[in-house]
């Protein structure tokens, strides 16, 4: 944990994770576009459920129309491209967010959006729809659940971090006179807000017959 703190309180770690997932999703989309036929056949077999247990109680779910499976495959590719674009934008913002809370917040939101899209694709699309509705878990050859689970775990880790308090880059008010309070431009109408975040100063004004110093709240 000391090493992570030295690297920037996990910011370097999250930047690396964004970079890895952006590169990985970019390569997945690139591979699906340049080698369209391979995974098009995968989606077609999953929809057709032709390598499952062929139970009559579940085969009514199968879709054998090639146009529908191709359309679903195109939607998957478009979704992967969208994830890549959002995560690349998040990476750029992370790299440019040093000492800039607004850019850091935008980077966090973009990373959260990208990982949420990835969770929906691999968790909802591959595991729920492909794995359970089309019974992909029953197939020995056309089964992408392991790869989907790996991507889901990576995206979920990043998403949990970004939506937690530790992932919030907003600066917190420090003690009176600290850097965070000094950098705030207080306006005429901010007296109540300033009082809420600024601890009261206690100034000793003297002693009374040997007892504890009498203090008053500074105005």
């Amino acid at each position: 944990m000391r090493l992570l703190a030295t690297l920037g309180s996990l910011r370097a770690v999250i930047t690396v994770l964004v970079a890895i997932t952006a590169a990985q999703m970019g390569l997945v989309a690139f591979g699906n576009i340049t080698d369209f036929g391979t995974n098009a056949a995968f989606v077609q077999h999953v929809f057709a459920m032709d390598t499952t247990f062929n139970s009559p109680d579940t085969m009514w779910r199968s879709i054998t129309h090639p146009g529908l499976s191709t359309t679903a495959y195109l939607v998957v590719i478009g979704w992967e491209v969208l994830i890549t674009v959002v995560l690349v934008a998040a990476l750029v913002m992370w790299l440019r967010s040093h000492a800039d809370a607004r850019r850091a917040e935008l980077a966090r939101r973009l990373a959260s959006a990208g990982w949420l899209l990835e969770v929906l694709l691999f968790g909802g699309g591959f595991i729920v729809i492909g794995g359970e509705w089309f019974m992909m878990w029953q197939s020995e050859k056309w089964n992408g659940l392991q790869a989907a689970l790996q991507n889901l775990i990576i995206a979920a880790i990043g998403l949990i971090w970004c939506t937690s308090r530790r992932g919030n880059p907003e600066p917190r008010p420090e003690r009176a006179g600290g850097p965070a309070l000094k950098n705030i431009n207080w306006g005429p109408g901010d007296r109540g807000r300033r009082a809420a975040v600024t601890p009261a100063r206690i100034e000793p004004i003297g002693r009374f017959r040997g007892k504890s110093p009498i203090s008053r709240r500074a105005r």
Side-chain angles (χ1 to χ4, degrees):
M1 292 302 297
R2 292 182 179 179
L3 176 60
L4 295 180
T6 302
L7 292 175
S9 300
L10 290 177
R11 178 165 296 191
V13 175
I14 206 68
T15 303
V16 171
L17 187 59
V18 171
I20 290 174
T21 50
Q24 190 255 348
M25 290 305 304
L27 291 174
V28 169
F30 178 76
N32 287 337
I33 294 171
T34 57
D35 188 20
F36 187 87
T38 299
N39 280 333
F42 173 86
V43 176
Q44 183 176 353
H45 283 288
V46 170
F47 274 42
M49 301 174 62
D50 52 6
T51 56
T52 62
F53 297 164
N54 293 321
S55 170
D57 295 328
T58 57
M59 286 303 294
W60 60 270
R61 306 178 188 178
S62 64
I63 297 175
T64 56
H65 194 288
L68 293 177
S69 61
T70 301
T71 301
Y73 183 41
L74 291 174
V75 170
V76 169
I77 293 177
W79 200 287
E80 292 167 348
V81 172
L82 178 60
I83 294 172
T84 303
V85 171
V86 174
L87 289 178
V88 168
L91 177 61
V92 173
M93 285 295 103
W94 276 121
L95 294 176
R96 299 176 61 186
S97 66
H98 180 67
D100 191 330
R102 291 184 178 180
R103 287 181 177 176
E105 173 64 14
L106 178 58
R108 186 184 69 85
R109 291 178 180 273
L110 286 171
S112 298
W115 281 322
L116 178 59
L117 290 171
E118 192 170 354
V119 167
L120 291 174
L121 175 62
F122 291 104
F126 282 82
I127 295 179
V128 175
I129 298 176
E132 294 301 326
W133 181 257
F134 290 111
M135 297 295 177
M136 186 167 59
W137 63 272
Q138 296 180 359
S139 176
E140 295 183 359
K141 183 177 181 180
W142 306 104
N143 191 334
L145 289 177
Q146 183 62 39
L149 179 61
Q150 294 172 358
N151 288 287
L152 175 63
I153 292 174
I154 294 173
I157 291 173
L159 184 60
I160 291 171
W161 188 90
C162 276
T163 54
S164 66
R165 289 187 61 185
R166 181 167 291 185
N168 191 344
E170 288 294 326
R172 298 177 183 176
E174 299 180 8
R175 65 180 182 272
L181 293 178
K182 286 183 178 179
N183 294 332
I184 298 177
N185 295 322
W186 300 104
D190 291 331
R191 177 176 297 179
R193 181 166 170 244
R194 183 174 184 175
V197 299
T198 306
R201 289 184 302 164
I202 305 300
E203 297 180 355
I205 62 174
R207 294 179 178 273
F208 181 70
R209 295 182 180 179
K211 296 184 179 180
S212 300
I214 302 175
S215 302
R216 62 180 176 85
R217 185 183 297 271
R219 293 182 180 178

